[in-house]
Amino acid sequence: MRRSQLYVPANNEKMIKKSLEIKADTIIFDLEDAVPPEEKGKAREMLKQFISELDWGKEKELAVRVNEINTKEGLRDLIQVAELGKINTILIPKAEGNLSFVHKATGKEIIPIVESAKGLFKIEDVLTSEGVSAITYGIADLSLSLEGKVDEYIKNDYVRTKIVVSAKAYNVEAIDRVYFDLQDPEGFRQECLKAKNLGYNGKQAIHPSQVEIANTVFSPTEEEVEWAKRVIEAYEKSIKEGRGAIRVDDKLVDYVHYKLAKRILSTPH
Ligand code: COA
Ligand code: MG
């Protein structure tokens, strides 16, 4: 379950400690853009220390966003993270091709971040890498790579739809991108809803206040659960009577709706 993934700068002791009490499904300790170049070594050391010293429980997925893997810092990050048993997952920024070596070398699950023209164009190469369990994307870096404007790409449905279609074609989860405006929880909620309706499984977050919103939106609502129960009951009864198409709440229900209802009830609610 990856309804919410919170970024925590790995050089910030206060935020690392704070993240213990935040109910994000994934905590992503960031070694990349939230950490200035001269702090990279310190951030790796802090990460190592706090991952082993603090009690992270079993509830959360612990992940690290490494630096670009074709740089020295990125390679140092990978070697370090490979040694951290409590880290399940590595996020790879600017993913543009086959990433199987990262999984082979570290044994960790991989979440690529598509955020360049080449990454979007070559998304199948990225998704067919070994160990990929989800995919996400970054709109600011993508705009930069395209020599376009962030404000334009924030409104762009092609990118959001392309990512989720590609993810589902290869049976991995799709996680929607971060939302930069911390003063606009309603805007964040609307983006969560839009992403959920397109088939995304969760959304990335940069602030604790966004986590609860994502958790709520990406869990089935009470109405959805009630609808699913009604559909399953009615459909299973009708099947015994030899009927595959029935009327529920004045709408057609057949096998596809039964499967949709099953999926809703299989999501924790
Ligand atoms: N993780 C953990 N705790 C966080 C947090 C985060 N991402 N963002 C804020 N907090 C904590 C603060 O430490 C503060 O704790 P306190 O109440 O115990 O003092 C509380 O939440 C409220 O924070 P606030 O004052 O509203 O945040 P800010 O204005 O200081 O910081 C940001 C805003 C955007 C700089 C900060 O949220 C942040 O660094 N986010 C992550 C950025 C990142 O990782 N980017 C990379 C991916 S795009
Ligand atoms: Mg980025």
Side-chain angles (χ1 to χ4, degrees), residues 206-233:
I206 49 170
H207 192 274
S209 60
Q210 297 179 332
V211 169
E212 192 59 43
I213 301 174
N215 285 350
T216 303
V217 174
F218 286 98
S219 302
T221 63
E222 249 174 63
E223 294 83 62
E224 284 170 328
V225 171
E226 289 312 314
W227 174 83
K229 286 181 180 162
R230 278 201 303 283
V231 164
I232 288 169
E233 196 190 328

Side-chain angles (χ1 to χ4, degrees), residues 152-162 194 198:
E152 188 62 38
Y153 274 98
I154 278 179
K155 295 181 285 187
N156 187 290
D157 281 341
Y158 166 74
V159 177
R160 194 178 250 127
T161 310
K162 169 88 181 169
K194 171 147 195 168
L198 286 174

Side-chain angles (χ1 to χ4, degrees), residues 78-129:
L78 288 179
I79 289 168
Q80 160 90 268
V81 173
E83 303 298 329
L84 301 178
K86 290 186 199 168
I87 300 292
N88 327 96
T89 305
I90 299 177
L91 278 94
I92 302 187
K94 285 118 189 152
E96 295 190 330
N98 190 285
L99 304 167
S100 297
F101 82 93
V102 178
H103 175 68
K104 284 186 181 137
T106 65
K108 310 289 186 191
E109 285 183 31
I110 307 296
I111 303 183
I113 309 174
V114 169
E115 48 186 347
S116 63
K118 193 169 173 194
L120 194 60
F121 197 66
K122 296 271 186 190
I123 192 165
E124 271 197 284
D125 293 353
V126 174
L127 276 163
T128 48
S129 308

Side-chain angles (χ1 to χ4, degrees), residues 6-9 14-15 18 22 30 34 65 182 206-208:
L6 177 69
Y7 279 104
V8 180
K14 188 162 170 271
M15 288 191 191
K18 178 101 181 166
I22 299 168
D30 189 25
R65 180 169 76 170
L182 299 168
I206 49 170
H207 192 274

Side-chain angles (χ1 to χ4, degrees), residues 7 32-33 65 93-94 113 115 137-142:
Y7 279 104
E32 200 214 11
D33 284 358
R65 180 169 76 170
K94 285 118 189 152
I113 309 174
E115 48 186 347
Y137 65 111
I139 210 69
D141 274 302
L142 180 65

